[in-house]
Amino acid sequence: MTTYHIELQGEILKVGFGNTQATGDRIVCDVAAKLDEMIATGEIPGGSLIKINGRISVLVSQVLGDKLGKVYNAIAIFDPKIGDKGLDRYVVTISRHPDYRVGDTLDVLRSQLQSNIKLVLCGFANTGKTCFRDGLKQALFQIPNVPESYFISGCPDGDGSWYSETARRDPDLAAELKAQYKAGFTPEFAKLKAQEVRGIDTPLFVFDIGGKISDENRLIMAEATHGVILVKDESEIEPWKVLCDELKLEVIAIVFSDFFGNNDVVESESPILRGRVHRLKRGEDVSQRPTVRALARLLVGLSKGSE
């Protein structure tokens, strides 16, 4: 099955999307069939509690809850936003077991051998950071055995990680939701977003920020480990490079965004990736662009090299 991956690793069921272009109806059918097979063969043995870790859509969560709820007395889901240093936290969502209540949090010691990558996509406004972020996410999902990844927006402009896919399918709905979710970039927002970034400890974590060099963005970026700078011309590089240096972020790529261009160019991959990406337009799938794919491969290499 290529649309969704399911594997039991000890007491944790690792899950995640495969073919990201598949629609929800196809995915839930594949998930149901795979779970039935794993339960029938004893690969998923059943018991008192199972923990689930990975990317789960609302549709998939319904199938997981139905199938696993018949063989386990309690189900707990990993929440990357409430982790702590060295710990993964799971929230109990279904329980018929006296030792577990819905809403309980369970701590699992994270492997200390893993050094996580927290990547910030930075640059001035209108460089296409949101579109680039979504394309990078899709490109990573297309790499076999890619480390677990997590993507969020670090700015309150309404462009969550859901936006590009929604815009491709229903532009009017995407615009309506964006307007509802858009909020002010306040110090309070920045503190909460920095706390969220700090608590997420997946092997690959990517977020973008607003298009200004500000105290708010500086606070959020300080939680990253690496940076990618998107620019429209050479003069935009230095201000963001200085900020990344101040925050001790390793800049791994500088990408020129050419909206009216016709092709990508990967100019160099060492010592940092430099290239051009064309037409970063909301709603378009840019995951096959050579520069986006080159960065995805670089991230996977960095993550696996730190294991």
Side-chain angles (χ1 to χ4, degrees):
M1 181 184 67
T2 59
T3 64
Y4 202 75
H5 303 292
I6 305 174
E7 180 184 5
L8 187 63
Q9 298 180 2
E11 60 177 12
I12 297 175
L13 191 70
K14 302 288 288 187
V15 300
F17 290 94
N19 179 359
T20 58
Q21 302 304 313
T23 55
D25 55 339
R26 165 73 188 283
I27 294 172
V28 296
C29 288
D30 286 346
V31 170
K34 181 62 175 178
L35 288 172
D36 285 342
E37 175 189 338
M38 295 176 74
I39 291 170
T41 60
E43 189 175 352
I44 293 179
S48 59
L49 171 71
I50 188 167
K51 304 182 185 76
I52 303 175
N53 189 318
R55 294 186 67 245
I56 305 171
S57 66
V58 173
L59 295 175
V60 169
S61 71
Q62 299 295 301
V63 181
L64 290 169
D66 175 60
K67 298 292 185 181
L68 296 173
K70 294 174 181 176
V71 294
Y72 287 94
N73 293 320
I75 298 174
I77 309 291
F78 171 61
D79 187 342
K81 295 183 180 181
I82 62 172
D84 202 351
K85 189 173 180 63
L87 293 175
D88 286 336
R89 287 209 164 99
Y90 292 75
V91 179
V92 176
T93 58
I94 295 175
S95 181
R96 299 184 304 276
H97 194 288
D99 292 341
Y100 305 106
R101 296 181 300 175
V102 171
D104 282 352
T105 58
L106 310 175
D107 290 346
V108 175
L109 185 64
R110 188 183 306 121
S111 171
Q112 300 303 305
L113 299 177
Q114 178 177 285
S115 179
N116 299 325
I117 306 295
K118 293 190 177 186
L119 178 73
V120 57
L121 303 177
C122 59
F124 291 115
N126 302 315
T127 51
K129 294 186 296 294
T130 298
C131 185
F132 191 85
R133 181 199 67 205
D134 187 69
L136 181 61
K137 176 174 70 173
Q138 302 302 328
L140 280 170
F141 293 158
Q142 294 163 21
I143 298 176
N145 303 315
V146 65
E148 184 183 353
S149 60
Y150 192 72
F151 288 72
I152 67 168
S153 173
C155 51
D157 60 3
D159 283 348
S161 59
W162 52 271
Y163 180 83
S164 293
E165 184 175 352
T166 305
R168 284 196 292 271
R169 298 181 179 180
D170 191 334
D172 293 337
L173 175 61
E176 179 183 347
L177 292 174
K178 177 178 177 177
Q180 292 177 6
Y181 295 155
K182 190 170 184 177
F185 206 147
T186 64
E188 290 74 20
F189 172 87
K191 290 177 182 177
L192 289 173
K193 189 59 64 172
Q195 180 180 348
E196 181 179 356
V197 172
R198 189 181 312 122
I200 296 173
D201 280 298
T202 52
L204 288 176
F205 172 48
V206 179
F207 64 99
D208 62 336
I209 58 165
K212 295 181 180 180
I213 295 178
S214 64
D215 290 339
E216 288 81 8
N217 275 332
R218 183 177 280 103
L219 181 66
I220 300 169
M221 286 179 62
E223 301 299 333
T225 60
H226 297 72
V228 168
I229 302 174
L230 270 75
V231 298
K232 296 189 292 294
D233 59 63
E234 194 81 27
S235 66
E236 296 183 349
I237 297 175
E238 188 62 20
W240 291 100
K241 181 68 167 60
V242 169
L243 179 57
C244 288
D245 288 344
E246 288 177 0
L247 298 175
K248 296 181 171 56
L249 307 185
E250 179 183 351
V251 176
I252 62 172
I254 296 174
V255 178
F256 289 82
S257 177
D258 183 3
F259 184 81
F260 297 104
N262 296 314
N263 59 281
D264 280 23
V265 178
V266 178
E267 299 169 349
S268 67
E269 298 191 35
S270 178
I272 66 172
L273 175 66
R274 290 181 68 100
R276 295 182 176 273
V277 62
H278 73 289
R279 194 175 169 78
L280 292 175
K281 182 180 179 180
R282 286 181 172 90
E284 288 194 10
D285 180 7
V286 304
S287 63
Q288 297 302 312
R289 306 283 171 83
T291 302
V292 175
R293 296 180 68 183
L295 179 58
R297 293 192 299 269
L298 174 59
L299 283 175
V300 172
L302 285 173
S303 179
K304 290 186 176 181
S306 64
E307 291 178 352

